[in-house]
Amino acid sequence: MLFAGLGAANENERKGKNMKQKLLKWATALTSCIVLLLFCGIHVQAAEYSIGTNDSWAEGSTEKEGIDYRTFTLPAAGRVTVTYQSYMSNGRCNLYDKDLVTNYKYVRTSGSTTAPATEQFSMDLEAGAYSLKLSGGYWNAGDDPSSYRVKVSFVPAHNNEKEPNDAFESAMPLANGTLIKGFLSEDDSIDFYRFSIGESANVRTTVSRDTIGSYKFSIWNSDLIEVASYTTSEQTKVWEEYLAPGTYYIKINKDWDATGTYILKWEGFTYVKVIQLKKSALTLEKGKSYSLLQSITPASANNKNIKWTSDNTSVAKVDSHGKVTAKGVGAANIKAAAMDGSQVEATCQVVVKPAKTQITACKKTRDRNVYVKVKAQKNVSGIQFQLSRDKKFKGRKSSYYAGATETKATTAALKKSKTYYFRARMYIDYGGKRYYGAWSQVKKVKTGKKSRLSGSSSWKAV
C-alpha cells in the first residue's frame, strides 16, 4: 500500500518535468520565430540600389518608415549635385559615406503626387563610394508607400595636387612659376605646399578662386613661424614680399565651410634696379637714328622688358628696342620704363637739329653782289649764311644771320674779279643753347670788274 502511493507520486513528478521541457522548447521556438520575423522585416524595409552620376532620375518608394539606400562611386575628386524630389509627407534624403559613418548632408521636404517638393544640394567630395539614404516620414498618412525620385550629377575637379599634403611634413614641392590646381573638400580642409629660394628675392604668390567661395592663405618659414596671412573671397589675390634664402611653406585652408578648387602659383622675382642709357642728352640731325639702351641691372632680373615712349613723336620716335629716329626739328623727352612693376625709369632729352641745308640759288647780281637762296625747313630758329675766299673756309669769313622765314640773302659789294665761296646752315635755339644743322654744299661765284655800285647789305665782304 505504501509502495503503491510512492509510485504514483513519482509518476506525477515525471509528467510535470516533461511539461516544463515542452514549454521551454515552445518558448525557444517562438523567440526564434520572432527574431527571424524581425530580421526579415528590417530587410524588407531597407533596400539597397545603385545610382549613376549622369544626372538621370531614379524613382523609388518605401513602406511606411522604410528606407532605400542608393550607392554611387566617384572615380575622382569633384563636385556632386543631388536633386531630391518627394511625393510624400516629410520625405528625407541623407548623403553618407559608403559605411554610413559620416553624414555629409540632410534635407527634408514634404510633397504630393500633384505637387512634388524638390530639394537640391552640392558637395565637394573626394574619390570613393557614397550612399544616399532615402526614407519616408513618421507621419506618412496610413500605410501607403512613400514615393520619391532622385538624381546625381558629377563634375570632376581636375586638380593636380599630390595627396596627402595636409601637414608641413607632407607638403607638396612646388617649382617656381608652376601652376597648381588644388581642391578642398568635405574630407580635406587643408593643403600644404613647399618651395625654396637660393638667394634673397621678391616672392610673389597668386591665388585665383575657381569654384571655392573663399579661403585662408598663409606662408611660413622653415622654423614654422608665420610670415604672412590673409582671408579673402577676391577672385584673384596677389601677395608679394622680399624673402631671405630658405625653405617656405604655403598653407591653403577652408574659410568656414567653403570648399572647391583654386589655382596657385609662386614666383621668385628679381626686379630691375637700373636702366642705363648711353646718353642722357642727345643731339640728332633730322632723319638720323640712334640706339639709346646700354644695359639693364641686375642681369638676373626676371622681366627686362622696357616700355619706350616719346613725349613729342613729331620730333622723335622710339621703337620697342630703344632706337630713336629724328622726325622733325625740335626737342623731345624719351623715357624708358621697366615693365616689371619696379617703377625704375630713365630719361634722355633729344634735340633734333635741322637737316643739311640746300642752296637753291647762288648767283652774281649787279656785277659784284651775290644772291643766295636756300630751301626752307620747318621749326628752325634761323639761318646762317657764310662767305669766304677760301674754298675750305679757312681764314677770314663773313656771316649773315637771317630769321627762320628769311630764306634768301644778298651780299654787300665784293672785291673786283675775285672768287668767293658760299654756304649756309640752319639752327634751332633750345634751352639756352644753339644747335646747328649741317652746312650746305659749297657754291662758287666770281665777281665782276665794275667799280661803282649802288645799294648796301649787312653781309660784309672779306
Side-chain angles (χ1 to χ4, degrees):
M1 190 72 179
L2 177 62
F3 288 110
L6 290 173
N10 289 336
E11 180 64 21
N12 290 335
E13 184 178 352
R14 183 180 60 80
K15 289 181 179 180
K17 287 182 179 179
N18 288 338
M19 181 60 69
K20 289 181 180 179
Q21 290 175 353
K22 288 181 180 180
L23 289 173
L24 181 60
K25 288 180 180 180
W26 292 343
T28 302
L30 181 60
T31 302
S32 299
C33 290
I34 292 172
V35 170
L36 182 60
L37 287 172
L38 289 173
F39 181 77
C40 292
I42 291 172
H43 280 75
V44 168
Q45 289 184 338
E48 184 172 327
Y49 310 93
S50 62
I51 187 171
T53 57
N54 58 351
D55 204 32
S56 296
W57 287 109
E59 297 183 351
S61 64
T62 62
E63 299 300 325
K64 181 179 179 182
E65 301 180 16
I67 298 172
D68 278 358
Y69 291 98
R70 293 190 179 268
T71 61
F72 60 90
T73 300
L74 302 183
R79 179 160 289 183
V80 169
T81 299
V82 176
T83 305
Y84 171 67
Q85 202 167 70
S86 174
Y87 298 92
M88 55 185 155
S89 173
N90 203 36
R92 289 164 290 169
C93 175
N94 296 68
L95 174 60
Y96 281 91
D97 64 346
K98 182 64 172 65
D99 298 324
L100 302 180
V101 173
T102 303
N103 185 3
Y104 294 104
K105 188 70 175 180
Y106 164 71
V107 295
R108 183 173 65 183
T109 187
S110 294
S112 67
T113 55
T114 57
T118 304
E119 290 284 345
Q120 187 178 77
F121 60 88
S122 296
M123 309 292 291
D124 290 304
L125 301 174
E126 299 295 325
Y130 296 88
S131 185
L132 292 174
K133 179 182 177 183
L134 305 151
S135 57
Y138 289 107
W139 301 283
N140 196 30
D143 294 323
D144 294 335
S146 301
S147 299
Y148 67 87
R149 65 176 185 166
V150 65
K151 62 180 179 178
V152 179
S153 64
F154 171 65
V155 178
H158 296 302
N159 54 312
N160 59 345
E161 58 174 313
K162 303 299 181 184
E163 295 282 3
N165 65 333
D166 55 357
F168 287 106
E169 297 79 8
S170 58
M172 176 184 170
L174 197 56
N176 188 356
T178 300
L179 278 175
I180 194 77
K181 188 174 186 179
F183 180 65
L184 296 179
S185 68
E186 296 298 322
D187 294 317
D188 182 13
S189 61
I190 188 168
D191 289 334
F192 281 89
Y193 303 92
R194 183 181 75 249
F195 69 90
S196 298
I197 52 175
E199 60 182 22
S200 296
N202 283 77
V203 171
R204 177 187 299 168
T205 64
T206 305
V207 183
S208 297
R209 292 192 304 102
D210 189 28
T211 61
I212 197 168
S214 61
Y215 62 91
K216 293 180 180 180
F217 169 95
S218 56
I219 189 163
W220 305 68
N221 63 22
S222 56
D223 293 323
L224 305 187
I225 297 173
E226 188 179 272
V227 175
S229 65
Y230 63 79
T231 300
T232 186
S233 59
E234 293 180 40
Q235 185 60 46
T236 300
K237 177 79 172 180
V238 177
W239 171 88
E240 185 173 329
E241 192 165 315
Y242 190 75
L243 298 179
T247 297
Y248 294 86
Y249 298 90
I250 296 172
K251 182 172 74 170
I252 305 286
N253 57 301
K254 289 182 182 179
D255 176 35
W256 296 100
D257 293 326
T259 58
T261 52
Y262 59 87
I263 297 172
L264 165 68
K265 177 178 70 173
W266 79 273
E267 299 170 282
F269 210 85
T270 301
Y271 283 106
V272 171
K273 294 183 178 179
V274 178
I275 300 173
Q276 186 66 47
L277 303 182
K278 294 175 183 176
K279 294 184 178 182
S280 59
L282 175 65
T283 302
L284 284 177
E285 184 179 307
K286 181 181 176 182
K288 301 294 182 180
S289 297
Y290 185 85
S291 293
L292 272 178
L293 182 62
Q294 179 169 308
S295 63
I296 297 173
T297 305
S300 59
N302 289 72
N303 183 355
K304 297 180 184 177
N305 292 328
I306 302 295
K307 182 179 181 180
W308 296 89
T309 56
S310 169
D311 68 354
N312 192 344
T313 55
S314 65
V315 172
K317 287 188 175 181
V318 60
D319 67 13
S320 59
H321 302 289
K323 182 180 179 180
V324 180
T325 300
K327 305 298 289 184
V329 177
N333 291 307
I334 304 298
K335 184 170 73 173
M339 296 180 68
D340 62 353
S342 62
Q343 299 184 340
V344 172
E345 295 179 350
T347 303
C348 176
Q349 183 187 80
V350 177
V351 175
V352 178
K353 58 188 182 181
K356 183 177 180 178
T357 301
Q358 296 180 38
I359 295 178
T360 57
C362 184
K363 58 186 180 181
K364 183 172 58 176
T365 61
R366 295 197 299 271
D367 197 53
R368 285 165 52 193
N369 299 83
V370 176
Y371 167 83
V372 180
K373 184 178 180 181
V374 298
K375 185 177 180 180
Q377 292 187 45
K378 293 181 179 180
N379 302 324
V380 299
S381 301
I383 307 168
Q384 180 187 9
F385 294 89
Q386 193 174 77
L387 63 84
S388 175
R389 290 172 60 184
D390 181 86
K391 65 180 180 180
K392 294 185 177 181
F393 288 82
K394 294 181 178 179
R396 296 180 64 190
K397 298 179 283 289
S398 175
S399 293
Y400 171 72
Y401 289 89
T405 58
E406 192 180 348
T407 58
K408 53 191 176 181
T410 302
T411 68
L414 304 179
K415 294 185 179 293
K416 297 178 183 179
S417 304
K418 299 294 181 181
T419 298
Y420 285 87
Y421 298 90
F422 298 87
R423 64 183 181 179
R425 63 180 179 179
M426 298 184 185
Y427 60 86
I428 178 175
D429 293 326
Y430 179 79
K433 293 183 180 181
R434 178 162 289 180
Y435 299 88
Y436 287 96
W439 287 108
S440 66
Q441 73 277 34
V442 175
K443 296 291 185 179
K444 180 175 69 173
V445 176
K446 186 174 182 178
T447 59
K449 299 178 181 179
K450 292 182 179 180
S451 57
R452 295 179 63 84
L453 295 170
S454 61
S456 63
S457 173
S458 57
W459 191 3
K460 303 299 181 183
V462 293

